Amino acid sequence: MARGTWTFLGALFALLLAFAAKALLYVPPAVDLAPAVGVFDTSRALGRLQRILGDQQPHPVDSQASDGVRDRLVNELRAAGLEPRIADTPRCAAYLHTRTINCERVRNVVVTIGPPGGKHLLLVSHYDSNTSGPGAADDGIGVAGMIEIAAILRTEPLQRPVTFLFDEGEETGLSGAGAFLDSDPVAGAADSLINLEARGSDGPAIMFETSRPNAAAIRAFAAGSSHPYANSLSTDFYRLIPNSTDVTVFAERPWTILNFAIIGNETRYHSAGDVLAALDPRSLQHMGSEALGIARQLAIGGTPEGDGTLIYADLYGLFMVSMPLLLGLALLGALAIFFLVAAWRAKAFGRALLAPLAALVGSGLLGWGADMLVTALRPADYWRGHPVVTFTAFYAVALLFSAAALLLVGRSVERERLRAAFWLVFILVGGLVCWVAPGGAIYFLFPPLLAAPAFLWGRGAWALSIGAGLLLFVTFSEVLTAVELLLIDGPYWILAPLGALAAFPLLIEAFPTAQPARRTFTLVPIGGAALALWAAVLFVPRATDDRQQLFTIEYLKDGDRSLWAVSDKAVPLPAGWAGVDGWQLADVPYSGRRRWVAPAPDLPVPPPTIEAAATPDTQGGGRVVRLVLHANGADAVTIRLPVEARLAAAGLEGQMVTPGGNAADPATIRCYGRSCDGMRMELRLLSAAPVEIELMGSHYRLPEAAAPLVAARPANSRPQYSPDSTYVIGRARL
Ligand SMILES: [Zn+2]
């Protein structure tokens, strides 16, 4: 084999290895074991979190476990020399975009330090957990981080007050943050906010959301951060996906807002796997010291000036670059014109242009096809147990198609033409990305800027092109790592075309253009590697002890109909699983996801009940219904009203709120926690005709008769997002 062929093969495998190993760089800094005074002390913060979580039980809003966590949180705050107060608010609040009203009693823990006057800086986390797990990361990382930050900042010369809000009820509709905003005097005196969150249990603390326009927030972040993980591409994408944190509640305020989260290993999130042992201490230290640095900047250094929108990106936490969005878009436009002219002068519009396009489209199509095929053979999250194998398999597809495009389409095309054509395609892709997420421009500027001089002078072209290719690969590899973590449900096939885009310019440099003979046999080793990886994707275990499969068992009783239900992302259950016959996929009344259901014995679980009395409504012409709710042992109650009831308002007695969403949809009133039982509510209905309502009780446990099902749960699987539960539905007339 000629030397050029060896170089090309070597480049292909070096890039495959780099794709597989890139996530090793996407980590927070090592833990500082002997921090100096004024530096975030991770072991002290972890010790507090361990004491606060106690026996590590789920502690959802208004539960006995939540009382315990709050008491211990208050003790830790006092021990750190702080003076916490508790704001106790029973409330109902309406969702903005759905016809849902949430009711619960939230007890926020609030600490203020610093001088009495001035605008408050707020730090926010939530101490309630999801119903399925102990929430060591979600949001123990925020709670532990904030106590340590408060303990450090209280001894420093703060120029304004800093308030730490440990809220309750984040998991049930951001209720604690809503209660704070509605009724806490500090909310009206605040002008900036740092929120600390988790959607996983490891990885760096990513600053993924800011107030808009973002210039002041990004300048504060840049000034206070020492290991920045933030980019305007993901910030713009986050806005496009339906997701919420406490920041959602505060976002409309004209405040300077920064939102941090860790997102590594989502398989533990909202599950019993979110334990202290799984929380990476480096993640806690990273989030804590980043928030401390920025809080210090905002409370001592002052809020940076600035309006307008910046685009920005970090490089593996080492540093961050930023520039005004308009400058970035203008640069991108100028680069597009430059490379259009360069491609025209190099006569690069034929096969040279076809080669990168074929690599992108081909790897996208083959990646998509492989994804479809494996999904058909292995339904539900086939990547879950060993994601790196799956991701690398997609990158192998990207390299195979890039090599094929160069060998079959780009052969006998001069390197200079290939370069010009690639950068033109790259900038056009950048333009498309900016159409959806303008912040993405930051990733499409610097590599072509570095490559451009080669087309002006022709000297040093090789070195500049290699440099530009390396810069592109390194910056894109970080984006790809973040995409791998963000896309928990796929579609992962997009890694293939993105990988091709990242690798193509380096492959152009390694491609033996001087040997015009067909060298298609070069495709055999990389094609073989791709096949081997896809075979591995089919056969590696679906789940591991660390990365478990979702498997939730439920009992549903609706009148005289009783069912077992299993939520496992539709992985087929073996016939007669757990000694129960007749499993089939069906919809259930408490979730949008289909489940396996089978007949279950009729067990004596009582549904919630109400005592109601209606009086004519003198204002609206309908009626006002006063009711007392009896949970009958349920941990949460859902009241569903038909559209005909025409719900105009509902809430606690004397505190009705107006539902949002579309009046043509049925309305839902939800209540969480102990105070549901005996809760006095008021409903204003515009219809005078009687209606039938549905009352569903959710119990966060299974009846004893479920023991054989629990015992049959596959190894390395557990409930996620909601616990094993009993749902019981009753009806009443209003
Ligand atoms: Zn959370």
Side-chain angles (χ1 to χ4, degrees):
M1 247 184 337
R3 220 180 98 221
T5 309
W6 279 115
T7 312
F8 191 52
L9 267 181
L12 284 169
F13 279 88
L15 285 167
L16 187 62
L17 201 67
F19 274 126
K22 65 189 178 351
L24 298 175
L25 292 177
Y26 199 72
V27 289
V31 167
D32 190 347
L33 289 173
V37 173
V39 175
F40 191 89
D41 188 333
T42 306
S43 49
R44 193 163 62 180
L46 269 177
R48 288 194 195 103
L49 183 57
Q50 191 166 18
R51 291 192 292 274
I52 290 170
L53 292 178
D55 57 356
Q56 300 202 54
Q57 291 304 306
H59 45 279
V61 62
D62 189 21
S63 62
Q64 206 181 338
S66 170
D67 287 353
V69 164
R70 182 176 52 256
D71 288 347
R72 297 190 290 270
L73 166 62
V74 165
N75 285 345
E76 291 298 330
L77 287 166
R78 290 202 177 114
L82 300 155
E83 292 162 30
R85 64 182 163 91
I86 294 175
D88 188 344
T89 321
R91 73 194 291 265
C92 293
Y95 276 32
L96 210 53
H97 303 295
T98 62
R99 273 188 99 61
T100 304
I101 292 174
N102 260 12
C103 301
E104 66 227 86
R105 178 181 176 191
V106 293
R107 273 158 281 195
N108 291 336
V109 178
V110 187
V111 172
T112 299
I113 57 172
K119 288 284 189 187
H120 286 242
L121 161 65
L122 273 179
L123 274 81
V124 178
S125 61
H126 63 93
Y127 72 83
D128 63 315
S129 76
N130 169 269
T131 46
S132 311
D138 177 21
D139 190 13
I141 194 171
V143 170
M146 274 172 38
I147 306 174
E148 176 66 8
I149 293 168
I152 293 173
L153 285 184
R154 66 182 273 272
T155 63
E156 298 191 3
L158 301 177
Q159 301 301 302
R160 58 179 174 135
V162 181
T163 290
F164 297 82
L165 167 62
F166 303 85
D167 69 51
E168 189 184 18
E170 192 273 349
E171 301 288 4
T172 46
L174 319 175
S175 305
F180 179 82
L181 196 58
D182 289 348
S183 54
D184 202 292
V186 170
D191 74 352
S192 38
L193 163 69
I194 301 171
N195 189 59
L196 307 180
E197 261 291 359
R199 197 211 66 184
S201 53
D202 56 35
I206 302 165
M207 198 288 290
F208 68 99
E209 185 181 19
T210 66
S211 41
R212 292 187 299 145
N214 65 14
I218 293 304
R219 293 210 172 99
F221 176 69
S225 161
S226 12
H227 297 280
Y229 275 90
N231 69 73
S232 44
L233 173 63
S234 56
T235 313
D236 281 0
F237 265 111
Y238 178 77
R239 286 216 321 274
L240 302 175
I241 57 173
N243 220 326
S244 58
T245 67
D246 280 334
V247 166
T248 312
V249 170
F250 298 112
E252 296 309 316
R253 297 284 155 132
W255 296 353
T256 302
I257 299 175
L258 292 158
N259 200 356
F260 288 86
I262 56 168
I263 60 167
N265 196 356
E266 175 272 343
T267 67
R268 287 183 177 275
Y269 173 60
H270 283 190
S271 85
D274 187 4
V275 288
L276 263 177
L279 171 62
D280 188 340
R282 294 177 301 176
S283 300
L284 171 57
Q285 169 173 283
H286 185 226
M287 185 174 287
S289 39
E290 289 287 288
L292 172 61
I294 295 153
R296 210 176 249 147
Q297 170 62 40
L298 289 170
I300 301 173
T303 306
E305 291 293 311
D307 38 37
T309 300
L310 301 178
I311 56 174
Y312 50 94
D314 73 282
L315 188 70
Y316 287 104
L318 296 172
F319 59 87
M320 189 176 84
V321 291
S322 67
M323 68 172 74
L325 171 64
L326 284 179
L327 175 63
L329 293 179
L331 264 175
L332 196 67
L335 282 165
I337 294 166
F338 178 90
F339 280 101
L340 206 60
V341 172
W344 176 73
R345 282 181 51 188
K347 298 190 175 60
F349 288 123
R351 290 211 313 226
L353 198 63
L354 215 55
L357 288 174
L360 289 185
V361 175
S363 52
L365 284 176
L366 190 72
W368 178 80
D371 191 25
M372 292 294 125
L373 183 68
V374 179
T375 300
L377 294 170
R378 279 196 108 173
D381 300 8
Y382 60 83
W383 54 83
R384 195 158 166 118
H386 296 276
V388 172
V389 177
T390 303
F391 302 155
T392 311
F394 280 114
Y395 296 125
V397 166
L399 292 168
L400 173 64
F401 257 85
S402 302
L406 283 167
L407 283 160
L408 302 175
V409 185
R411 81 192 137 88
S412 67
V413 176
E414 290 85 359
R415 211 184 300 279
E416 196 194 330
R417 288 183 178 174
L418 288 171
R419 287 174 184 149
F422 172 78
W423 290 114
L424 184 60
V425 168
F426 179 75
I427 289 159
L428 293 180
V429 172
L432 286 177
V433 169
C434 289
W435 195 269
V436 188
I442 194 80
Y443 285 106
F444 291 88
L445 299 175
F446 297 105
L449 272 175
L450 186 56
F455 295 88
L456 292 176
W457 304 307
R459 288 173 59 187
W462 185 77
L464 285 169
S465 302
I466 294 259
L470 281 172
L471 183 59
L472 169 56
F473 186 81
V474 171
T475 51
F476 261 52
S477 69
E478 186 181 353
V479 175
L480 289 168
T481 311
V483 170
E484 292 165 8
L485 292 174
L486 277 169
L487 290 181
I488 49 175
D489 288 327
Y492 281 116
W493 63 264
I494 66 161
L495 296 177
L498 290 174
L501 200 64
F504 206 78
L506 286 175
L507 290 177
I508 291 176
E509 300 312 312
F511 183 58
T513 47
Q515 297 155 28
R518 290 176 73 115
R519 303 261 173 214
T520 40
F521 66 85
T522 320
L523 297 178
V524 174
I526 189 70
L531 265 180
L533 279 161
W534 279 103
V537 168
L538 273 177
F539 292 108
V540 290
R542 184 186 288 288
T544 64
D545 179 47
D546 179 36
R547 303 181 55 86
Q548 300 200 7
Q549 203 68 27
L550 181 155
F551 198 102
T552 312
I553 302 166
E554 292 143 355
Y555 174 76
L556 168 67
K557 182 178 160 77
D558 181 357
D560 49 14
R561 191 176 71 125
S562 296
L563 293 173
W564 296 119
V566 167
S567 168
D568 68 349
K569 300 205 170 185
V571 179
L573 292 176
W577 181 79
V580 177
D581 285 320
W583 292 103
Q584 52 181 351
L585 275 182
D587 292 316
V588 290
Y590 49 83
S591 168
R593 283 190 189 242
R594 305 196 90 197
R595 277 136 159 82
W596 295 103
V597 301
D602 186 14
L603 301 170
V605 193
T609 47
I610 52 166
E611 295 165 59
T615 50
D617 181 7
T618 46
Q619 295 171 28
R623 56 204 167 117
V624 173
V625 177
R626 286 187 184 79
L627 61 84
V628 182
L629 187 60
H630 298 292
N632 295 335
D635 297 295
V637 176
T638 306
I639 305 174
R640 292 201 190 89
L641 294 106
V643 181
E644 310 85 79
R646 300 179 61 202
L647 180 76
L652 299 177
E653 235 171 24
Q655 302 174 31
M656 281 195 278
V657 292
T658 310
N662 187 343
D665 292 333
T668 303
I669 302 168
R670 288 202 209 111
C671 175
Y672 299 93
R674 291 165 297 181
S675 54
C676 296
D677 196 33
M679 184 175 274
R680 293 175 171 278
M681 303 176 86
E682 227 173 356
L683 282 68
R684 177 173 297 136
L685 307 178
L686 297 182
S687 156
V691 288
E692 187 181 75
I693 63 164
E694 209 178 83
L695 294 152
M696 186 177 79
S698 310
H699 304 243
Y700 304 144
R701 63 197 163 272
L702 285 168
E704 269 171 40
L709 287 88
V710 173
R713 194 193 324 258
N716 292 337
S717 62
R718 62 187 161 213
Q720 190 181 14
Y721 290 100
S722 60
D724 287 346
S725 299
T726 300
Y727 298 98
V728 54
I729 297 175
R731 285 171 183 81
R733 284 187 86 72
L734 278 189

